[in-house]
Each structure stands twice: as structure tokens, then as C-alpha cells.
Amino acid sequence: MKHADSHTLTRLRPLLDQVRQRVPPLKEPKVGTFYLKSAAFLHFHDDPSGLFADLKVQGNWQRYPVNHEADYIALLQALDQQLPGAGPNGC
């Protein structure tokens, strides 16, 4: 499974924008690749079977589909559970 290319990341922009609003803020050294502190935390893959996000959950990578808005919600909920602190904008 290859990492998402720029075309795929453009399609995921609404999701990426929501990830960028999380508190505490994640570092994004490369578009679509996020770090929490100094550790890799979230990135995206493009596969013939669909688009996926890999999120570090309790030290292990977990794969989430990100093909529909409902998928986005599930990923963002899992992401918020892994962040130290609150969800978007401190809510």
C-alpha cells in the first residue's frame, strides 16, 4: 500500500483541515504526515481498495478507511481519543 500522493491528499483536504484544527496542534512536516511531539502519529495511504489513514493508537498503528464523511468522523473521534487534552478548538 503506497503513501497517498498529492492528488489523493487534495481529495482529503476537508479531512486534513479538520486534523489541523486539533488541540494540541500536530506538526505536519510534509502534507498529510502528522507528528505528535517528535513521533509519527498519522499518515495516509492510497490503495486500490480505497483510501486509508494510519493512526498511532496506544503505541500501535491502526488503519482506518477514509473514503466517506462517516469514515472521517470515525477517524477524528479516534484521533481525539489519542490526543492529550481536548478535541478541536479545545471543545
Side-chain angles (χ1 to χ4, degrees):
M1 184 174 300
K2 69 176 184 158
H3 282 262
D5 61 20
S6 61
H7 180 266
T8 299
L9 294 171
T10 298
R11 288 178 38 209
L12 290 173
R13 184 176 181 147
L15 174 59
L16 295 176
D17 287 344
Q18 291 183 60
V19 170
R20 291 176 183 125
Q21 294 174 16
R22 278 2 206 203
V23 175
L26 301 172
K27 296 175 186 161
E28 188 179 12
K30 180 180 171 190
V31 175
T33 301
F34 295 90
Y35 281 68
L36 180 61
K37 299 182 182 177
S38 62
F41 186 65
L42 174 66
H43 59 269
F44 297 87
H45 293 277
D46 196 351
D47 185 75
S49 62
L51 304 177
F52 297 90
D54 284 350
L55 174 66
K56 188 78 68 93
V57 176
Q58 297 178 345
N60 297 306
W61 290 107
Q62 298 289 318
R63 182 149 292 160
Y64 293 84
V66 288
N67 298 290
H68 307 285
E69 191 167 331
D71 296 337
Y72 292 9
I73 292 167
L75 174 65
L76 293 169
Q77 288 174 342
L79 171 67
D80 288 342
Q81 291 175 356
Q82 298 308 306
L83 291 173
N89 300 318
C91 300

